[in-house]
Amino acid sequence: MTLLHGLKGRLRLPLIGSPLFIVSVPELVVAQCCAGVIGSMPSLNARPVEQLDEWLSEIRARLAAHDAAHPDRPAAPFAINLIVHRSNDRLEQDLALCVKHRVPLVITSLGARPEVFAAVQGYGGHVLHDVINQDFAHKAVEKGADGLVLVAAGAGGHAGTQSPFALLQETRRWFDGPLALSGAIASGRGILAAEAMGADFAYMGSAFIATEEARAVPDYKQMLVEAGAGDIVLHQPDHRRAWQLPEALAAPRRAGPGQFARLRPQRHGFRQRPQEALEGDLGRGAERVRHRRGAPGRRAGGQAARGILGGAARPRRGLAPAQPGLDAGGLTARRLFFRLAA
């Protein structure tokens, strides 16, 4: 069964909540899936590796309970992001847990590994692979990926630099499999635009950070609510993939390379680092925003991962044929979408 066929009737919006380093946790993943979009998280958010086993069991149990209680609107499947770079000394353990729990969708980053694709596809799972250009896209498909996540200009984390129009159009010329498009998509209109351009899914991350279910400090959530496109910087470290993140969090011009190095995964490879240290980095970045911007005009918080999705359906209904509606009551991430789509 193809990925798109397996998702038929399971999604209320063609959206994948992208895996957010440190921030995505089972609470957010479950809220996204129950709202009718694919929720995801990086495997490395679970520290130590034994916690990943516990989290996968929790996610599966909670989604099964939702399906039993709501047979008319089953939850969307969930995804786990695996960093397949050679410096990730947990890859084999994390992959084994994905196989054990039969994770429906695996998103791989920083290297296309045929043995990883084969392990997931062996139990009936599917793999999407992150790419930033046509060279990496061809390699991923040749090595067996089911689909691609096109990381275009504006995408957070490991950023791409190409226009989403060009990247998607060039990929569709030769690949008719599943495509997700990322890059500054934060509203229902953005989801509709991705569909109109030929993507099967939009890939949205930052909008979910300011929700109640996200594991981020309040000031960091507020920083994202207050920030605009001009506050984003693209940092090019020593390897081939750039990082894109809020200027106040990176602050490379003011903090200097030594201070910013605390945020660089490549400094420590992708090996385990104490969770408190990682969360401390985010807290310090958020403090910079308070000093730069003063009193906030809007407040983050009080939003839920499911609430964000209610408003996303509104512009899609206005600009395209009617789509199956979301249920009216909701979690917090849903009201956020009403704000973003207004």
Side-chain angles (χ1 to χ4, degrees), residues 219 248 254 283-295:
D219 282 346
R254 282 178 285 281
R284 281 186 290 273
E287 282 295 317
R288 297 188 191 110
V289 151
R290 288 200 300 180
H291 293 298
R292 290 181 58 210
R293 291 190 169 267

Side-chain angles (χ1 to χ4, degrees), residues 174-193:
W174 60 271
F175 183 64
D176 62 359
L179 291 180
L181 180 65
S182 70
I185 297 174
S187 70
R189 286 181 172 83
I191 297 171
L192 178 60

